[in-house]
Amino acid sequence: MASTSVSRIVPASPDKVWSLIGGFDALPDWLPYIPESTPLEGGRVRRLKNPEGEVIIERLVDFNETERHYSYAILQAPFPVNGYVSTIRVHAVPGQENTAEVQWSGRFNPNGATEDEVVDLFTGIYRDGLDALHPTLAA
């Protein structure tokens, strides 16, 4: 099983960051790679579209409002992996009430691609997504 993790320090309180990214259907609010999200099954599943119009379907597998994290599994996607589970977390930065650390990690099995290729793919998605948070939160 392959894995990757990316984290960024962002210029907002953990509560403000969580209010932006903590909703399972909130990806279009902050992630440029996902311009469209449709909640299904009472919000436990999301049907996403990327800029190319490809469909990604994900199921929420864990959610913790108090600790500010959620995990999800990919059910359908154009990615060369299976067994994909990812977690997004927002952490407080000790002594800095208007700063937060956001971590996005995932684990998955390559399927039709090398481990390096899929690690690079998801590292890029996580990195670009978290990098987009800074200007959104600073506005």
Side-chain angles (χ1 to χ4, degrees):
M1 182 162 273
S3 65
T4 188
S5 182
V6 174
S7 66
R8 292 289 185 267
I9 301 296
V10 294
S13 70
D15 287 340
K16 182 177 179 182
V17 176
W18 183 246
S19 71
L20 174 64
I21 73 172
F24 186 57
D25 194 42
L27 288 181
D29 296 340
W30 63 275
L31 184 62
Y33 182 69
I34 300 295
E36 184 180 324
S37 178
T38 304
L40 305 169
E41 296 184 23
R44 303 290 292 176
V45 172
R46 61 187 178 195
R47 183 181 187 274
L48 310 170
K49 282 192 180 174
N50 68 15
E52 291 78 37
E54 296 171 312
V55 172
I56 303 160
I57 298 176
E58 299 172 337
R59 176 175 297 282
L60 186 65
V61 295
D62 183 47
F63 184 87
N64 188 310
E65 182 79 27
T66 304
E67 295 181 9
R68 294 187 292 263
H69 66 82
Y70 72 81
S71 298
Y72 62 94
I74 289 180
L75 305 178
Q76 173 191 325
F79 307 129
V81 297
N82 59 44
Y84 177 102
V85 176
S86 184
T87 300
I88 294 177
R89 296 179 182 277
V90 177
H91 300 282
V93 176
Q96 298 184 42
E97 66 184 43
N98 289 315
T99 304
E101 179 183 9
V102 183
Q103 179 186 33
W104 195 354
S105 59
R107 60 185 193 280
F108 35 82
N109 297 308
N111 184 12
T114 68
E115 183 171 316
D116 286 345
E117 288 169 334
V118 293
V119 166
D120 288 349
L121 170 69
F122 289 109
T123 300
I125 291 171
Y126 299 171
R127 181 191 62 235
D128 294 349
L130 295 184
D131 287 349
L133 278 176
H134 195 282
T136 301
L137 289 163

